[in-house]
Amino acid sequence: MKEVDQQMADLQSKHSSSFVEWVPNNVKTAVCNVPPKGLNVAGTFIGNSTSIQETFTRTLERFNQMFARRAFTHWYTGEGMDIQEFTEAENNVRDLCTEYLKYQEESTSVDGDSEYEDEVIVESD
């Protein structure tokens, strides 16, 4: 685990201009010592960048489609959840998307028009 944390710290130092200042501690790591069946090793990386708002937006659209039909809500209300909590969650995700979009627009206007300017390429040994 220390090796992974050190590699991530080195990556952040080397590419510090690609990491935004307004998200402190923006890299978290977790190590699973058991790879999927048939593989020697596996890895997943999820980065906290403004592009994640696209995923949140797609998820919100699908949620709205299902919630409009009240699909699966009986499982949650049967456990004591109120229907109003679904609406609250929807509003929270919508606010999160709006905030990410705001930061994306700000960084685009400051950094220029390059679509791939913030892309970080990690080389492995």
Side-chain angles (χ1 to χ4, degrees):
M1 184 65 176
K2 290 180 184 179
E3 296 167 355
V4 173
D5 289 336
Q6 184 59 45
Q7 288 289 329
M8 292 308 295
D10 292 346
L11 179 72
Q12 268 189 296
S13 297
K14 185 177 178 182
H15 300 285
S16 61
S17 64
S18 297
F19 292 89
V20 295
E21 296 173 7
W22 52 268
V23 182
N25 304 320
N26 56 356
V27 175
K28 299 290 183 198
T29 57
V31 175
C32 178
N33 295 326
V34 182
K37 187 175 182 179
L39 298 175
N40 294 331
V41 295
T44 302
F45 176 79
I46 299 174
N48 185 7
S49 72
T50 55
S51 63
I52 196 75
Q53 64 93 12
E54 294 171 9
T55 303
F56 288 141
T57 301
R58 279 195 314 268
T59 303
L60 185 61
E61 288 170 1
R62 291 182 184 133
F63 168 81
N64 286 335
Q65 291 170 349
M66 292 178 70
F67 187 61
R69 294 178 288 160
R70 297 293 193 253
F72 303 106
T73 56
H74 65 281
W75 292 108
Y76 297 95
T77 55
E79 293 292 324
M81 191 172 171
D82 186 24
I83 289 290
Q84 187 63 31
E85 292 178 81
F86 287 104
T87 307
E88 275 182 52
E90 176 191 4
N91 290 335
N92 290 342
V93 174
R94 189 177 316 281
D95 291 345
L96 183 65
C97 290
T98 303
E99 189 172 344
Y100 270 113
L101 188 59
K102 179 182 85 172
Y103 282 117
Q104 181 177 357
E105 289 169 354
E106 285 178 8
S107 66
T108 302
S109 65
V110 171
D111 294 339
D113 296 325
S114 176
E115 181 178 343
Y116 302 103
E117 193 169 69
D118 293 336
E119 201 169 275
V120 175
I121 299 172
V122 179
E123 297 176 15
S124 61
D125 295 271

